[in-house]
Amino acid sequence: PLRSIRHFRVDVATADTVCTAMLERWSAQGRIPGELELAPLAATHLEEAAELYARHFGLSAANAENLLRLSVASGARELSFELRHQKRLLGVIVWKCPPDELPTVDLWIASPEFRLGWPAMVLLQKSVRRCAELGFSDVGFHCNDDARATLHVARLINATLVREEWTYTLDVTRPAAT
């Protein structure tokens, strides 16, 4: 076994309440700067997001950009956002919304210095509020067991573990047993 992929479901209102409380606390502490730019993620401006994606997952920039373009093209554009401060990309959240299924976070990533901080919460809050506006009461997301920040958020927002899948690897560096 290589790792597990955990799939969660969360109530939109609960997620919004928890995000709001955390963001208000961080704002009162002066941790959130002013002049944030929170905008829909546009398929034409993905180079920086692809670089962030590539660094985080150890992908080539070209692979990351192709994967991100596919995700944005097939995803729920009205739910996907980017967050910037002084023109610097701090994070992105990309959703998919398959027919007859819950909207699900496909990619949620913040700059390394903000992995468990306010940029991720700003993106999540904006997205779940948009889900509520569109009439969704629940949403889904997934992460692998190495995503400590996302697993922490899952606990904070009282997400329900729906299922767990395992990925496997085959060691091809050792000779096969005969």
Side-chain angles (χ1 to χ4, degrees):
L2 181 63
R3 66 176 52 95
S4 69
I5 307 294
R6 299 175 191 178
H7 295 262
F8 295 94
R9 182 181 188 125
V10 65
D11 174 74
V12 168
T14 301
D16 184 32
T17 299
V18 172
C19 289
T20 299
M22 291 177 72
L23 290 170
E24 286 174 353
R25 186 176 72 238
W26 287 336
S27 183
Q29 294 169 349
R31 292 175 58 186
I32 301 176
E35 302 176 19
L36 293 175
E37 300 170 45
L38 185 60
L41 182 62
T44 56
H45 300 104
L46 295 181
E47 294 80 17
E48 280 182 279
E51 288 176 27
L52 184 61
Y53 187 17
R55 279 196 319 263
H56 182 73
F57 289 104
L59 303 170
S60 73
N63 262 358
E65 187 168 343
N66 286 336
L67 290 169
L68 195 52
R69 284 190 188 284
L70 286 172
S71 187
V72 168
S74 65
R77 286 189 198 105
E78 66 274 9
L79 301 175
S80 300
F81 297 95
E82 65 178 29
L83 178 65
R84 294 180 180 274
H85 178 251
Q86 298 177 342
K87 306 292 182 199
R88 178 174 170 238
L89 181 67
L90 301 182
V92 296
I93 191 165
V94 180
W95 291 70
K96 62 182 177 180
C97 195
D100 302 323
E101 291 185 33
L102 291 177
T104 303
V105 175
D106 197 32
L107 174 67
W108 181 28
I109 189 166
S111 292
E113 65 270 29
F114 297 115
R115 285 282 185 254
L116 189 58
W118 60 266
M121 289 296 107
V122 168
L123 289 163
L124 182 60
Q125 181 190 52
K126 175 68 173 176
S127 291
V128 296
R129 284 184 173 176
R130 184 69 181 124
C131 286
E133 290 169 4
L134 294 171
F136 294 102
S137 59
D138 292 340
V139 295
F141 65 96
H142 62 276
C143 65
N144 67 42
D145 49 8
D146 291 334
R148 292 189 320 266
T150 306
L151 292 170
H152 180 70
V153 170
R155 285 187 293 276
L156 289 174
I157 62 175
N158 298 315
T160 301
L161 180 64
V162 175
R163 72 179 191 279
E164 187 171 8
E165 302 169 352
W166 285 92
T167 60
Y168 296 88
T169 186
L170 176 62
D171 186 351
V172 294
T173 60
R174 296 186 304 190
T178 55

